[in-house]
Amino acid sequence: SEWLFVEMADVMAAEGWRDAGYEFVCIDDCWMAPTRDEHGRLQADPKRFPSGIHKLANYVHSKGLKLGIYSDVGNKTCAGFPGSYNHYELDAQTFASWGVDLLKFDGCNSGTLELLAEGYRRMSLALNKTGRSIVYSCEWPFYLRPMQQPNYTEIKQYCNHWRNFFDVYDSWSSIKSILDWTALHQDSIVKIAGPGGWNDPDMAMLAGIFVFLSQLVIGNFGLSWDQAVTQMAMWAIMAAPLFMSNDLRHISPEAKWLLQNKEVIAINQDPLGKQGYQIIKDKNFELWERPLSGRAYAVAVLNQQEIGGPQNFTFSLTFLGNGLACNPVCSIRQVLPASRDWGVYSWVFSLSVEVNPTGTVLLKV
């Protein structure tokens, strides 16, 4: 209901989420009435959103936040509500008139691949035509992949970020599968990411709400602390748009600390805008790096081992930045799981990092 989003906006403004950089409160599927109005326009469910979306947007804006909404490229949404097929221009104008700031555009019930692509293109042009700045979140490549390789150059021309993989779930196996898929496909997806267009590793919603910080399930119940650290660290490395899918009214202090960690968010939001990638996979250990502005690098050491205790992983600093990150010397700071300075190292040194099972150590070099 609209009261859920009002309460969430209040919490975001009052408890530091907005100040940490979380800007959007977004409504997912099922917000609509089952039919369009007499003018063919989408309308909110009158029982659950009695004040309408425009009034809700005004309230969210009054808190210094932005409102996101959901629609679908096909004739019905994934949950069976009216889709935007043959209504792209009208729906874009409706969303703009309501004061919407982000559109998640799903790909269910789209028919052929040609109609899918045409719909995503047309909605992008229609949103731009409104004159309102509206972030365009696409699921285009996810629905293409079973049949053909997505053309990411074209997708970036139309979309601000695009979903690549299956729904994330509140479990370690889900997080692990996303990381494995991303590493496997990094040669085709890393190079396209940058300011204006981002790879979104996953997309799923809990209770029809997602809060803009891809998709962080930190603060729910399925991840251990080390696994939560891994998700936050790796989403920062992957330059993923950060969305939280949780209930901010009932979140633990530890999860709040992690999600609001300014050093991690600064890595995620680094203005250079380059996505990170895996450079070493050695048994259960993975070494990832992400180029940052100011000739810095974010480095993640991930331990995929699921049993036993902490283990050490040792690697030469010459691996980082094609040998340039620490040449001739570099300072290293640990960001996660706790922040501390490690000092200055020569590029010919090796670094030994102790990592808990399913955990990650995030460094800034």
Side-chain angles (χ1 to χ4, degrees):
S1 72
E2 65 186 49
W3 299 111
L4 172 66
F5 296 93
V6 165
E7 287 185 23
M8 209 65 68
D10 289 342
V11 172
M12 287 181 70
E15 298 187 10
W17 300 101
R18 178 191 62 200
D19 298 336
Y22 295 85
E23 291 186 286
F24 291 79
V25 183
C26 298
I27 309 169
D28 203 56
D29 202 352
C30 307
W31 62 269
M32 307 163 188
T35 58
R36 292 174 175 266
D37 70 13
E38 65 272 20
H39 303 292
R41 292 178 301 213
L42 292 172
Q43 53 186 342
D45 183 284
K47 291 183 179 178
R48 290 180 291 114
F49 293 86
S51 305
I53 302 300
H54 190 191
K55 186 172 180 181
L56 178 59
N58 288 342
Y59 185 83
V60 169
H61 294 158
S62 76
K63 295 293 180 177
L65 298 165
K66 299 175 181 178
L67 186 73
I69 208 162
Y70 170 102
S71 189
D72 191 284
V73 70
N75 58 5
K76 288 187 180 297
T77 72
C78 296
F81 290 86
S84 289
Y85 179 69
N86 272 341
H87 296 86
Y88 301 120
E89 289 75 15
L90 177 60
D91 289 356
Q93 292 164 8
T94 301
F95 297 145
S97 72
W98 287 344
V100 165
D101 304 290
L102 179 149
L103 172 64
K104 176 191 167 185
F105 209 42
D106 216 333
C108 285
N109 305 304
S110 56
T112 65
L113 294 184
E114 290 75 18
L115 287 173
L116 178 84
E118 180 191 2
Y120 274 108
R121 294 188 201 105
R122 285 183 62 186
M123 181 55 86
S124 177
L125 297 174
L127 291 171
N128 286 340
K129 191 177 177 182
T130 68
R132 182 172 181 82
S133 179
I134 300 176
V135 175
Y136 189 31
S137 172
C138 300
E139 310 224 345
W140 190 351
F142 173 72
Y143 285 91
L144 276 181
R145 272 200 176 272
M147 281 74 77
Q148 68 183 55
Q149 173 70 19
N151 180 346
Y152 283 102
T153 302
E154 180 187 28
I155 289 168
K156 188 173 181 177
Q157 289 177 347
Y158 293 98
C159 302
N160 296 124
H161 51 91
W162 45 87
R163 178 253 189 99
N164 283 317
F165 195 59
F166 296 107
D167 285 355
V168 66
Y169 291 96
D170 188 20
S171 72
W172 170 243
S173 62
S174 177
I175 303 302
K176 184 178 181 297
S177 68
I178 291 166
L179 296 175
D180 291 344
W181 185 93
T182 301
L184 182 65
H185 294 88
Q186 65 183 20
D187 288 346
S188 63
I189 66 172
V190 166
K191 59 191 175 185
I192 198 64
W198 309 97
N199 289 296
D200 189 351
D202 57 313
M203 187 67 72
M205 304 304 150
L206 303 178
I209 183 167
F210 62 106
V211 180
F212 200 174
L213 158 110
S214 212
Q215 201 86 335
L216 297 168
V217 292
I218 298 162
N220 293 315
F221 301 97
L223 301 185
S224 71
W225 174 247
D226 287 301
Q227 292 160 2
V229 167
T230 290
Q231 188 182 27
M232 192 69 182
M234 296 308 299
W235 265 233
I237 288 284
M238 293 188 293
L242 296 175
F243 289 85
M244 297 182 293
S245 189
N246 50 29
D247 189 341
L248 299 177
R249 300 167 300 182
H250 307 289
I251 195 167
S252 71
E254 294 80 12
K256 183 178 180 181
W257 173 86
L258 182 58
L259 289 165
Q260 291 189 4
N261 188 296
K262 292 182 179 179
E263 288 187 275
V264 185
I265 293 173
I267 291 171
N268 174 267
Q269 298 286 310
D270 184 78
L272 187 63
K274 288 188 176 294
Q275 180 171 336
Y277 40 83
Q278 184 189 100
I279 53 175
I280 296 175
K281 183 172 176 62
D282 183 4
K283 297 178 181 175
N284 290 312
F285 278 98
E286 298 178 16
L287 181 67
W288 293 63
E289 71 175 14
R290 177 183 175 185
L292 304 176
S293 54
R295 294 187 296 175
Y297 285 82
V299 176
V301 183
L302 167 62
N303 181 4
Q304 293 264 21
Q305 180 86 12
E306 297 186 14
I307 59 173
Q311 293 184 321
N312 283 296
F313 178 68
T314 303
F315 62 95
S316 170
L317 293 177
T318 57
F319 281 121
L320 303 180
N322 290 319
L324 299 177
C326 288
N327 189 359
V329 296
C330 61
S331 62
I332 298 179
R333 177 172 174 79
Q334 179 180 302
V335 178
L336 287 176
S339 60
R340 61 186 177 93
D341 288 321
W342 281 16
V344 176
Y345 292 79
S346 165
W347 75 298
V348 295
F349 277 42
S350 289
L351 200 66
S352 184
V353 182
E354 184 181 83
V355 193
N356 291 343
T358 67
T360 296
V361 171
L362 179 64
L363 307 171
K364 186 174 181 182
V365 177

